[in-house]
Amino acid sequence: MKKIWDAQNNEMLFGINEKTMNNLIQSNKNKGQRITNTSELLWIVVNILAGSFVLVMNLVKGNENVFMYLLAAWMLGTSFIVSASRVKRISSNKKYDRSMLGDLEHAISLAGYQIWFSILGRWNVLPVGLLVILGLWDSGRSIWVLIAVMIFFILSNYASGWEHRIYLKRKKELENLKNKLENF
């Protein structure tokens, strides 16, 4: 009977289960927030600890290895930049409506932020790797240690590319979902 009624009114014969769709969007948003929070906090803590450790070790040893001082400054500086972007990201959460579309836009925004964050991480491998290698070279380490460290940073860059592609895929999926919902 409903099909006949819908056909007479030229209405679509299908619909969207809004509760399931809302749960899917909430799940994606929450997953994005967990990953982003964890990544940011790890970056901040690890860089503060590692940068402080390198700085203290150089000061205690009376080491004049300028590359290690630059490495410490770089790590502490990047932790400050990530802390500032974290505060900005969290404060921008208030601009999204607490609706299905607002949550979807928030999830897309988080995916975009994850893409930016992964790019930052990929580019950060270059100066950190270069400073570590130069610091090891300046302290007279063997060529094999330098090669091993270089291979480690190359593999790190490769792994970060894999992570970056995951975030690109997630954002594209969320944008496709938004387009489908808007055109429905």
Side-chain angles (χ1 to χ4, degrees):
M1 186 72 135
K2 177 157 175 33
K3 286 184 181 182
I4 296 170
W5 177 262
D6 290 340
Q8 288 176 345
N9 293 327
N10 293 325
E11 292 181 11
M12 293 186 188
L13 296 176
F14 59 92
I16 294 176
N17 185 336
E18 289 184 30
K19 184 167 177 58
T20 302
M21 183 63 64
N22 193 33
N23 289 341
L24 174 70
I25 291 169
Q26 286 291 325
S27 173
N28 274 310
K29 183 182 84 166
N30 293 338
K31 180 180 179 181
Q33 284 181 318
R34 278 192 312 274
I35 291 170
T36 303
N37 284 329
T38 303
S39 298
E40 288 170 332
L41 292 174
L42 273 173
W43 183 298
I44 293 166
V45 170
V46 167
N47 276 287
I48 287 174
L49 292 176
S52 299
F53 177 77
V54 169
L55 181 63
V56 168
M57 291 305 292
N58 273 341
L59 291 173
V60 167
K61 288 184 176 182
N63 205 350
E64 294 185 16
N65 190 335
V66 70
F67 299 114
M68 291 292 112
Y69 287 111
L70 288 172
L71 177 63
W74 183 267
M75 293 175 118
L76 294 171
T78 57
S79 67
F80 175 76
I81 290 169
V82 171
S83 296
S85 69
R86 175 180 168 77
V87 168
K88 183 179 176 185
R89 178 188 63 82
I90 290 172
S91 67
S92 73
N93 288 349
K94 298 172 189 157
K95 74 178 184 180
Y96 297 101
D97 296 335
R98 294 297 158 218
S99 64
M100 191 182 324
L101 184 58
D103 287 338
L104 182 56
E105 288 173 350
H106 189 196
I108 291 169
S109 174
L110 278 169
Y113 182 85
Q114 289 174 320
I115 291 168
W116 171 82
F117 196 70
S118 68
I119 290 170
L120 179 68
R122 289 195 82 186
W123 281 104
N124 192 54
V125 168
L126 295 174
V128 169
L130 182 63
L131 290 170
V132 167
I133 290 168
L134 290 172
L136 291 171
W137 175 69
D138 191 47
S139 66
R141 301 284 187 227
S142 82
I143 189 72
W144 297 111
V145 171
L146 297 176
I147 290 172
V149 169
M150 193 179 306
I151 289 171
F152 170 77
F153 281 108
I154 289 169
L155 291 174
S156 296
N157 196 359
Y158 176 77
S160 67
W162 172 72
E163 176 193 32
H164 180 72
R165 287 186 293 277
I166 290 172
Y167 296 142
L168 286 171
K169 182 181 174 189
R170 179 176 295 138
K171 184 176 182 193
K172 185 173 181 156
E173 288 171 354
L174 290 169
E175 288 173 336
N176 286 340
L177 177 61
K178 182 180 177 189
N179 287 337
K180 287 178 184 176
L181 290 175
E182 287 175 341
N183 293 327
F184 184 70

